[in-house]
Amino acid sequence: MSNGVNVSSGPRNWWRNAVIYQVYPRSFADANGDGTGDLAGVRSRLPYLARLGVDALWFTPWYRSPQNDGGYDVADYRDIDPVLGTVEDAEALIAEALEMGIRTIVDIVPNHVSSEHEWFAEALAAAPGDPARDRFWFRDGRGESGELPPTEWTSSFSGPAWSRLDDGQWYLHLFAPEQPDLNWSHPDVVAEHEAVLRFWYDRGVAGVRIDSASMLVKDPDLPEVGDHEPGGHPHNDRDGVHDIYRRWRKIADSYAQPRVLVGEVWLPEADRFARYLRDDEMHMAFNFDFMTRGWDAETLRESIETTLATHRDVGAPPTWVLSNHDITRPVTRYGRRDSSFSFETKRFGTPTDLERGARRARAAALLTAALPGVLYVYQGDELGLPEVEDLPAEVREDPMHHRSGGVDPGRDGCRVPLPWTSGGKAFGFGGPPWLPQPADWGRYAVESQLADPDSTLSLYRRVIGLRRELRDADFAWIPTDPQVLAFRRGEDLTCVVNFGDAPAALPDHAEALIASARLEDGRLPGDAAVWLRTRPSHQ
Ligand code: NOJ
């Protein structure tokens, strides 16, 4: 199965057309039967991932962590969380995956650490004003006795972004209180992250995904969030953040096989987003504009056009993302009346039509796989898993849910452990899963889908294989009805997606290569997509 790729000798631009599979390790496969996925579980399933045809795995944080935010609260970057395994397991996994032609990308969380990180413990043990506090944002409060937080800033997980200590000082956390924000003007913070990058690069990882990448730099004067010029927000997208990534890019480029930087950059303005992709900064960033849009021809066409233009200008490959560990599963989302996504509108009791959502999610897979650039697949989307919306209150872990007072359903529903077998204990996942799987999940299991050529898994395998032929083929729209999107890739391939209800006629073609739903008398049904070979193949 080896294709001889190794991290020092592979093609330098492997990432430009890659398929990158996101592993949420706690929920992928549990080898030791304790109910939480682990690295040994991932190793045991590498043949599955190789057969799926992915080029790289992105692991959400696997470091030692009290798991107050699913691992995005890192206590020690140089250690693997004991629930998942050991550093030796990670090394073995990286090496074995590479032998199968699969690279590894790890998550770096530079905006904050866990409150159990040794630096924060030192800061808490120190008195106000002690230099040990300077690696974070400790401040006195406002009001007569400092009883008011230093600013009115709010946390992304609801409530104030400041928490107060018994000694009266406040510290900043743009996420949960267990995730204190680092002070990026402190030399230790800069040096430590650069050392951590090298630590993992030296263990063979091919790149890093950078968490909350636009939020690291803060205005030291701590003004309130108000109207501001681009770059003038007090704690997001400040211009100084780019210096950090320029330094990181130099480190990445210093390796014989340059490492790759992938940004989690949530910004509404395309031009501000593109600044992170300049050729001395990140290699690529997640396309959240596309991901959050509803299932609608016009809105998606507009997003595709903006994406292609923005990326063309900076020479970075676009990325196509349907979901991740923070987002409602596409099958559930696309079945809703409003199929766009936003954290603010995510609420319990929003109806969905799962059958329709599943049809659309299959079509979306064909659409995204046909577009130029990098394709991201979140684990379980290749199985067409729906969001689990009825998890009992007592098993929900996500701070987004708890800190909203239970109003926000949180992100546990897209993190339920994968089903591997159609029956048996935990559907082949391992021990009793940390989040319970719905009783009917056997029908989504890998085992069930392998036996079915029309399954979503079979669709993904096939389309990922076909996609390899597209490489850098050029892109051109084909004029169609407003309910239909059609485009050509190179001379040979046309992708057509029908967003309407009525079947759509197809352009002239030699052969239908793959379709998300059965064609009806040569026409493409609604909520479906097809790849057409435009000229007869030369065989
Ligand atoms: C973005 C991550 O994707 C999310 O899961 C996490 O909660 C926040 N950043 C904070 O680290």
Side-chain angles (χ1 to χ4, degrees):
M1 198 173 311
S2 164
N3 67 3
V5 174
N6 89 45
V7 88
S8 310
S9 69
R12 289 171 80 88
N13 283 336
W14 67 270
W15 45 277
R16 284 195 160 266
N17 294 298
V19 178
I20 303 182
Y21 184 92
Q22 182 190 351
V23 178
Y24 192 76
R26 304 164 79 197
S27 301
F28 188 72
D30 167 27
N32 68 4
D34 66 359
T36 300
D38 43 43
L39 300 193
V42 181
R43 278 171 75 185
S44 73
R45 298 292 182 183
L46 283 174
Y48 167 79
L49 295 165
R51 178 64 187 80
L52 186 57
V54 303
D55 300 293
L57 305 177
W58 150 35
F59 288 88
T60 57
W62 57 14
Y63 318 106
R64 187 181 284 274
S65 162
Q67 305 289 337
N68 283 306
D69 180 22
Y72 284 94
D73 47 324
V74 179
D76 183 353
Y77 271 112
R78 293 179 181 75
D79 201 5
I80 298 290
D81 195 274
V83 174
L84 301 176
T86 62
V87 172
E88 290 69 38
D89 291 333
E91 288 170 344
L93 172 52
I94 293 164
E96 273 174 34
L98 259 186
E99 275 170 29
M100 296 186 187
I102 302 176
R103 292 173 166 83
T104 296
I105 292 175
V106 295
D107 220 310
I108 295 291
V109 190
N111 181 65
H112 44 267
V113 289
S114 159
S115 50
E116 293 187 15
H117 190 282
E118 60 173 353
W119 280 357
F120 199 67
E122 273 173 39
L124 290 187
D130 189 286
R133 291 199 168 180
D134 293 347
R135 296 178 183 127
F136 299 91
W137 291 92
F138 282 88
R139 288 288 187 279
D140 294 331
R142 293 168 302 153
E144 234 156 78
S145 51
E147 72 284 5
L148 296 172
T151 68
E152 296 294 321
W153 297 0
T154 50
S155 143
S156 300
F157 291 167
S158 314
W162 298 90
S163 287
R164 197 173 194 195
L165 302 172
D166 289 345
D167 61 28
Q169 276 212 313
W170 297 77
Y171 69 90
L172 175 68
H173 52 84
L174 291 176
F175 293 93
E178 297 83 2
Q179 295 166 294
D181 277 49
L182 289 165
N183 172 11
W184 270 87
S185 335
H186 196 294
D188 287 359
V189 173
V190 175
E192 169 64 3
H193 281 82
E194 294 182 2
V196 164
L197 292 176
R198 291 183 198 280
F199 179 90
W200 288 104
Y201 291 160
D202 292 346
R203 277 162 183 76
V205 312
V208 292
R209 176 266 189 193
I210 306 163
D211 187 70
S212 306
S214 62
M215 299 169 72
L216 279 47
V217 174
K218 280 97 189 173
D219 184 339
D221 295 338
L222 305 183
E224 292 301 343
V225 179
D227 292 339
H228 54 82
E229 294 293 304
H233 188 285
H235 58 74
N236 196 14
D237 190 33
R238 296 182 65 75
D239 291 343
V241 79
H242 296 283
D243 297 339
I244 299 171
Y245 301 124
R246 290 200 179 97
R247 291 175 64 114
W248 288 19
R249 178 63 179 253
K250 285 204 180 98
I251 296 171
D253 284 347
S254 71
Y255 284 78
Q257 170 77 38
R259 304 320 201 231
V260 170
L261 309 178
V262 185
E264 191 209 17
V265 181
W266 286 89
L267 292 176
E269 311 87 6
D271 59 327
R272 298 294 302 181
F273 173 86
R275 290 160 60 90
Y276 291 77
L277 301 175
R278 291 176 290 194
D279 62 6
D280 57 350
E281 297 192 43
M282 299 177 186
H283 297 75
M284 57 177 136
F286 299 114
N287 187 349
F288 293 130
D289 180 75
F290 181 87
M291 182 186 74
T292 51
R293 295 210 184 201
W295 182 252
D296 172 80
E298 196 184 325
T299 185
L300 289 178
R301 172 199 280 269
E302 186 195 292
S303 178
I304 293 168
E305 278 173 1
T306 316
T307 300
L308 295 178
T310 308
H311 288 75
R312 200 179 302 121
D313 290 348
V314 281
T319 68
W320 307 102
V321 187
L322 292 174
S323 79
N324 64 34
H325 63 292
D326 295 330
I327 308 298
T328 309
R329 290 266 189 199
V331 164
T332 302
R333 183 161 60 87
Y334 286 145
R336 301 211 203 278
R337 203 169 51 79
D338 175 1
S339 54
S340 64
F341 178 84
S342 79
F343 289 108
E344 292 73 28
T345 56
K346 191 175 171 191
R347 289 294 174 262
F348 283 106
T350 313
T352 184
D353 172 348
L354 286 183
E355 210 178 298
R356 167 171 271 219
R359 283 176 66 82
R360 291 176 170 177
R362 286 168 61 96
L366 261 53
L367 166 62
T368 47
L371 290 165
V374 181
L375 179 67
Y376 278 85
V377 180
Y378 174 49
Q379 72 176 39
D381 279 357
E382 81 280 18
L383 305 176
L385 292 183
E387 183 87 358
V388 181
E389 300 201 273
D390 57 356
L391 287 168
E394 64 277 11
V395 303
R396 289 180 190 267
E397 287 197 359
D398 186 7
M400 245 182 154
H401 169 66
H402 292 295
R403 293 186 56 79
S404 72
V407 172
D408 181 331
R411 302 163 295 179
D412 295 299
C414 64
R415 300 174 178 181
V416 173
L418 297 190
W420 291 92
T421 53
S422 48
K425 224 172 47 181
F427 299 113
F429 167 69
W434 66 282
L435 287 172
Q437 300 155 307
D440 70 345
W441 265 26
R443 68 195 181 102
Y444 297 108
V446 171
E447 180 186 54
S448 322
Q449 300 207 31
L450 287 181
D452 174 5
D454 292 330
S455 69
T456 299
L457 177 57
S458 300
L459 185 84
Y460 263 90
R461 282 181 163 199
R462 183 108 204 285
V463 81
I464 290 174
L466 287 169
R467 187 179 186 278
R468 293 198 178 280
E469 291 170 29
L470 298 177
R471 292 200 187 89
D472 291 319
D474 57 4
F475 171 97
W477 290 110
I478 298 174
T480 49
D481 293 347
Q483 292 296 300
V484 174
L485 292 187
F487 54 88
R488 202 175 44 69
R489 290 295 311 280
E491 294 302 318
D492 291 338
L493 189 108
T494 297
C495 175
V496 185
V497 189
N498 183 2
F499 292 81
D501 293 326
L506 293 174
D508 281 347
H509 60 276
E511 182 192 358
L513 288 173
I514 183 168
S516 67
R518 226 175 276 282
L519 300 185
E520 294 170 6
D521 297 328
R523 291 150 74 86
L524 181 65
D527 292 328
V530 66
W531 284 26
L532 305 172
R533 194 189 291 284
T534 29
R535 301 188 297 197
S537 58
H538 322 281
Q539 280 165 12

